[in-house]
Amino acid sequence: MKTIELVFFPGGKEKAVTLSYDDGTIHDRRLVQILNTYGLKGSFHLNSGNLGRPGYLCPEEVRDLFQGHEISAHTVTHPGLSYMPPESVAWEILEDRRRLEALAGYPVRGMSYPYGSFDPALAARLPHYGIEYARTVQSHGKFHIPENFLQWHPTCHHRENLLERATQYVNLPRRRRLSIFYVWGHSIEFERNQNWDLIERFAETVAKAADSIWFATNIEIVDYLNALKQIRQSVDGTLVQNFSHLPVWALISGEVKVIPPGGLLDLR
């Protein structure tokens, strides 16, 4: 019987790096420029109610600025959601999505919790608001795949030994196991602390290992991991089918193969 191991991201890579930045201040411009220079990708969680205010991005620049990245929700007014009635939570998220989608030109499907404020009951309601993932601020310092996208804990804030972790991640040996290095923060912190060199050095470090790392937005990772769950194999092991809309990389009896979207592979 042919063995199938779903242990690769796109390109046959085992590692992924994603970044997640909140609030939509004007300093996102410089951060995006750095990411683009090194080929990294990020998800930018915006408070639509702040756009156009002093210190924040202008609505009309959002679509072009974040081309190649992800525009994501962060509520309209940045409240502590776990302290609000369900009706207010629904408005904060749905209205933020509505406004941001008008700017982005595509459905907004993810978010980060303002102040990191959430509880399991709140997280469980998010799919009703069209939210497929939500990032917390509870860093775990590891590189594992999230157990629950609606309570997606990051690896670290960029102030938490970022360069040491980057070196560790780049040097991880191949293990036939998926891993994610997830960094979060606020771009204004680089300006406030005058340490833009920190994110530049991080980007340079991981970019040098681009042959083994997939650089992706948060929602791209969600979509790909969900696609892996839609692979099916026949009982006799001779057929494998991809029921998702994305190509999937797999290790099939020791050989790297791509299973095309909607495709059926005959392994005989």
Side-chain angles (χ1 to χ4, degrees):
M1 179 174 178
K2 295 284 187 176
T3 60
I4 300 176
E5 296 178 77
L6 303 173
V7 291
F8 296 128
F9 287 120
K13 301 174 181 180
E14 296 180 343
K15 303 175 185 177
V17 167
T18 191
L19 295 94
S20 179
Y21 278 78
D22 293 351
D23 297 351
T25 69
I26 57 174
H27 305 292
D28 282 357
R29 298 167 185 161
R30 184 170 177 179
L31 178 56
V32 166
Q33 184 179 37
I34 292 170
L35 300 187
N36 289 346
T37 297
Y38 292 97
L40 275 63
K41 289 189 176 185
S43 295
F44 291 83
H45 313 285
L46 311 180
N47 301 116
S48 57
N50 286 334
L51 295 178
R53 294 181 178 178
Y56 293 89
L57 297 172
C58 299
E60 56 269 21
E61 71 179 300
V62 165
R63 182 181 299 201
D64 288 340
L65 176 64
F66 295 121
Q67 283 291 328
H69 302 278
E70 178 193 1
I71 295 171
S72 181
H74 198 42
T75 73
V76 176
T77 66
H78 203 284
L81 294 178
S82 59
Y83 307 108
M84 303 177 71
E87 295 80 5
S88 295
V89 172
W91 182 86
E92 285 283 351
I93 295 173
L94 289 170
E95 180 62 14
D96 199 39
R97 283 190 60 209
R98 186 190 68 80
R99 297 183 190 185
L100 294 178
E101 288 170 354
L103 302 176
Y106 54 78
V108 168
R109 300 155 53 206
M111 65 174 284
S112 63
Y113 294 104
Y115 306 112
S117 173
F118 80 98
D119 57 61
L122 167 60
R125 294 200 305 273
L126 294 185
H128 298 294
Y129 311 143
I131 296 297
E132 298 177 38
Y133 78 83
R135 195 213 75 230
T136 75
V137 298
Q138 298 176 12
S139 300
H140 51 60
K142 300 177 182 178
F143 307 119
H144 55 66
I145 301 298
E147 296 178 0
N148 183 348
F149 282 127
L150 299 176
Q151 299 177 48
W152 194 350
H153 306 310
T155 302
C156 66
H157 186 281
H158 64 244
R159 64 172 174 262
E160 298 172 319
N161 300 317
L162 182 63
L163 299 181
E164 293 85 347
R165 286 196 165 100
T167 299
Q168 176 189 358
Y169 194 60
V170 165
N171 292 325
L172 280 180
R174 293 182 68 87
R175 301 180 297 172
R176 289 166 67 170
R177 184 187 312 165
L178 295 175
S179 64
I180 300 173
F181 189 175
Y182 190 150
V183 180
W184 79 279
H186 307 82
S187 61
I188 195 173
E189 295 173 89
F190 296 119
E191 184 67 18
R192 183 182 297 140
N193 298 317
Q194 285 300 294
N195 64 345
W196 284 99
D197 64 304
L198 174 63
I199 194 65
E200 290 203 52
R201 291 167 63 193
F202 167 78
E204 182 180 18
T205 298
V206 296
K208 288 179 179 178
D211 59 337
S212 63
I213 297 176
W214 179 41
F215 300 118
T217 65
N218 292 184
I219 196 62
E220 286 175 335
I221 289 176
V222 170
D223 285 342
Y224 188 80
L225 292 178
N226 284 334
L228 292 182
K229 297 176 182 178
Q230 297 184 62
I231 299 297
R232 296 292 183 270
Q233 186 177 17
S234 62
V235 174
D236 66 4
T238 61
L239 301 172
V240 60
Q241 189 163 10
N242 178 2
F243 287 92
S244 80
H245 69 286
L246 295 174
V248 165
W249 278 254
L251 188 66
I252 301 180
S253 292
E255 185 178 354
V256 179
K257 289 184 177 291
V258 179
I259 311 172
L264 177 69
L265 292 184
D266 189 332
L267 305 179
R268 288 170 287 194

